[in-house]
Amino acid sequence: VYDRLEKRGLAYANVLLVNTNIGTATDFDGNFKIDSIPNGIYDLRINYVIYGDTIFRNLTVTADTILTVNLKF
């Protein structure tokens, strides 16, 4: 999660798989990782206080899925 104006990662953005209790926060550089997600189709919500919510819809997760999501505010 990256701030284009400040040219830096956004630390502590909230990251949540919608309608689950699975989530995390971004690290100091704006990166995040969520492990052990059950197979399924999910919506991913990223929230940062001054920018609000962004939702990536219908992300398919299967065994050993590695998904890269780039979000620039």
Side-chain angles (χ1 to χ4, degrees), residues 53-73:
D53 288 348
T54 297
I55 299 177
F56 295 88
R57 299 200 181 276
N58 300 314
L59 303 176
T60 300
V61 175
T62 58
D64 300 321
T65 294
I66 296 175
L67 181 65
T68 301
V69 177
N70 292 306
L71 175 59
K72 294 181 181 181
F73 287 108

Side-chain angles (χ1 to χ4, degrees), residues 12-70:
Y12 313 115
N14 294 309
V15 181
L16 176 70
L17 295 177
V18 178
N19 297 323
T20 75
N21 62 353
I22 300 170
T24 190
T26 58
D27 66 15
F28 186 75
D29 295 318
N31 300 309
F32 67 91
K33 181 178 181 181
I34 302 174
D35 291 320
S36 303
I37 301 171
N39 292 349
I41 298 173
Y42 298 93
D43 293 340
L44 178 72
R45 176 184 298 142
I46 300 175
N47 176 274
Y48 197 76
V49 175
I50 58 176
Y51 295 115
D53 288 348
T54 297
I55 299 177
F56 295 88
R57 299 200 181 276
N58 300 314
L59 303 176
T60 300
V61 175
T62 58
D64 300 321
T65 294
I66 296 175
L67 181 65
T68 301
V69 177
N70 292 306

